[in-house]
Amino acid sequence: MDFNAIKKAAEGYEKDMTKFLRDLVAIPGESAEEEGVIKRIEQEMKKLAFDKVEIDPMGNVLGYMGNGKTLIGYDAHIDTVGLGELSNWKFDPYEGYETDTEIGGRGTSDQLGGIVSAVYGAKIMKDLGLLSDKYTVLVTGTVQEEDCDGLCWQYIINEDKIRPEFVVITEPTDGNIYRGQRGRMEIRVEVKGVSCHGSAPERGDNAIYKMADIVKEVQALNDKLHYDPFLGKGTLAVSQSFYNSPSRCAVADMAAISVDRRLTDGETWEMALEEIRALPSVKKYGAEVTMYQYDRPSWTGLVYPTECYFPTWVIPADAAPTKAMVEAYKGMYGEPKVDKWTFSTNGVSIMGRYGIPCIGFGPGKEAQAHAPNEKTWKADLVKCAAVYAALPTIYTANK
């Protein structure tokens, strides 16, 4: 393999990738509102002569390059979070900015840069004659990840009937290769009370006071959770609180919290629910502990409901996709660091639910995700496109 030719080709597409990314940033595309972004990606894939481009009923864009036997996926979720407090931004999040080395704007690191590098990585494969009868590349621009990570791939696998041999997750990896992540759950804890007039609180049963006891025990539970040597510790955090009361002059008759539960290797959703159900105040007050459900329509109007459970996943350091990614990186950029994500990705479904191996390598930095003044680096776009282009040939040659 001519690694220098691949690097040179990727460097030659820096301006094209920059323009493509800035075009995507300029189109607002929060979860379930991604139509404009999807259609711009479709346009770029067709311009670059992908062999087949389609948009599935959920609204994911699927671009194929080649017609070989082994299907290798490159996934990028193309929805973004909102803008947050605009006073924290030093520039317009959708207009963005560009310097000789950086591109700023909402979604540049998380993770519109990933689809840009994947699309051009596939183009480089075609340009340099790397495509063979051994593999087909599938580049997916997937929707609703920020709302419900992995839902898009539940649809792709179950309904589109597409099952790659392995998938490259193109979320930002700080220049490293990632082979796993903790899973997560969205849990609701609800306790009931009895309302009464606030002037005589002893006549009622204040649900907020009950929840105050529960919250203290949930907070203490975080320190007792399981630790895994690679993925680290399971965690939980109270992320939202709710109440119901007839008025501000009445005792609350319902209180609830949302708990963000991160699951390390060895933890299950059943275990996570039972740990909270076993807390003394939860038992004392008869609180209900449940998992949230997600049923928001996609931008096409399709509803594909699922429980808010996103499984942990990890693949071995000596797994074939890991070794192939390391070899592709090493051939052009030296010895990589192999690590794991702090946050969650679509791998929760691809690997976590369905056992399809995932390996992570993507432009940008984790710390830029969901942050004001988000940016990425042009060198990252180039590097990822080059490694993506080399990977399938190395993987299939080592099979």
Side-chain angles (χ1 to χ4, degrees):
M1 176 170 289
D2 189 343
F3 286 118
N4 285 331
I6 295 172
K7 283 178 66 175
K8 186 176 179 180
E11 290 162 0
Y13 279 126
E14 182 184 297
K15 289 183 178 179
D16 299 86
M17 288 192 281
T18 297
K19 181 184 184 303
F20 184 26
L21 179 53
R22 295 206 66 191
D23 285 355
L24 295 177
V25 167
I27 306 168
E30 294 180 30
S31 292
E33 300 172 0
E34 307 98 334
E35 181 177 6
V37 179
I38 288 290
K39 291 186 175 178
R40 178 64 184 85
I41 295 166
E42 177 190 37
Q43 178 189 42
E44 194 79 3
M45 287 176 167
K46 289 181 176 179
K47 184 186 84 171
L48 297 180
F50 271 62
D51 295 314
K52 182 170 71 170
V53 183
E54 57 189 13
I55 297 172
D56 74 6
M58 189 178 201
N60 304 298
V61 61
L62 313 171
Y64 294 84
M65 195 73 92
N67 55 11
K69 180 179 178 182
T70 299
L71 183 63
I72 298 172
Y74 290 78
D75 179 64
H77 79 78
I78 55 76
D79 58 321
T80 68
V81 295
L83 303 180
E85 177 53 54
L86 283 173
S87 65
N88 289 330
W89 287 81
K90 298 176 181 177
F91 55 88
D92 185 303
Y94 293 131
E95 180 181 346
Y97 74 86
E98 177 185 347
T99 69
D100 288 344
T101 59
E102 297 175 354
I103 304 166
R106 175 54 89 211
T108 48
S109 270
D110 187 22
Q111 62 130 142
L112 296 170
I115 190 70
V116 169
S117 290
V119 165
Y120 275 85
K123 171 63 172 168
I124 292 166
M125 295 176 209
K126 193 165 197 173
D127 289 347
L128 299 185
L130 297 173
L131 296 168
S132 72
D133 60 1
K134 291 184 177 180
Y135 69 86
T136 298
V137 165
L138 168 63
V139 178
T140 61
T142 46
V143 299
Q144 290 180 281
E145 191 271 354
E146 296 292 4
D147 257 14
C148 189
D149 27 326
L151 179 66
C152 49
W153 272 91
Q154 289 188 53
Y155 191 89
I156 289 168
I157 293 167
N158 293 333
E159 310 304 328
D160 294 338
K161 306 300 182 184
I162 297 169
R163 191 178 181 93
E165 188 160 313
F166 78 94
V167 176
V168 178
I169 303 291
T170 66
E171 292 260 21
T173 58
D174 292 47
N176 305 317
I177 294 169
Y178 287 173
R179 61 179 183 90
Q181 56 152 104
R182 294 180 301 167
R184 69 182 188 91
M185 297 172 63
E186 296 175 4
I187 299 171
R188 180 180 173 91
V189 184
E190 181 176 318
V191 65
K192 296 293 176 59
V194 178
S195 64
C196 69
H197 200 284
S199 65
E202 69 278 0
R203 296 173 185 166
D205 185 18
N206 198 317
I208 292 176
Y209 291 166
K210 292 178 178 180
M211 185 55 72
D213 292 341
I214 292 171
V215 167
K216 290 176 183 177
E217 292 176 2
V218 169
Q219 182 180 14
L221 178 60
N222 180 65
D223 296 330
K224 304 172 184 176
L225 298 177
H226 178 68
Y227 177 82
D228 177 76
F230 178 62
L231 292 183
K233 182 179 171 296
T235 60
L236 54 77
V238 175
S239 56
Q240 294 177 318
S241 63
F242 314 93
Y243 75 93
N244 187 49
S245 175
S247 78
R248 289 199 296 270
C249 300
V251 165
D253 55 10
M254 186 281 291
I257 56 171
S258 298
V259 176
D260 178 298
R261 178 67 159 89
R262 300 289 157 155
L263 302 161
T264 196
D265 205 19
E267 294 184 310
T268 65
W269 68 266
E270 297 95 340
M271 178 191 304
L273 291 175
E274 287 307 314
E275 285 168 339
I276 296 176
R277 288 171 179 155
L279 294 173
S281 292
V282 170
K283 295 170 72 174
K284 176 181 177 181
Y285 299 130
E288 184 179 18
V289 181
T290 58
M291 192 159 27
Y292 280 97
Q293 299 286 309
Y294 182 85
D295 60 359
R296 186 181 181 189
S298 75
W299 69 264
T300 65
L302 183 140
V303 177
Y304 201 68
T306 190
E307 69 278 5
C308 293
Y309 166 55
F310 312 94
T312 307
W313 64 274
V314 62
I315 66 169
D318 61 354
T322 312
K323 292 196 292 185
M325 182 69 83
V326 169
E327 185 177 339
Y329 185 102
K330 192 173 181 178
M332 291 178 277
Y333 300 106
E335 194 70 39
K337 178 182 179 182
V338 179
D339 206 344
K340 77 281 186 181
W341 275 288
T342 300
F343 58 41
S344 187
T345 75
N346 278 332
V348 297
S349 283
I350 304 167
M351 177 67 184
R353 286 180 182 268
Y354 301 108
I356 299 169
C358 292
I359 189 67
F361 182 60
K365 297 183 183 297
E366 275 197 81
Q368 293 295 314
H370 303 188
N373 307 305
E374 184 179 353
K375 64 182 178 180
T376 196
W377 291 264
K378 295 179 179 179
D380 284 12
L381 299 177
V382 169
K383 183 180 289 188
C384 288
V387 173
Y388 295 162
L391 176 65
T393 300
I394 292 172
Y395 176 82
T396 53
N398 291 337
K399 286 185 69 177

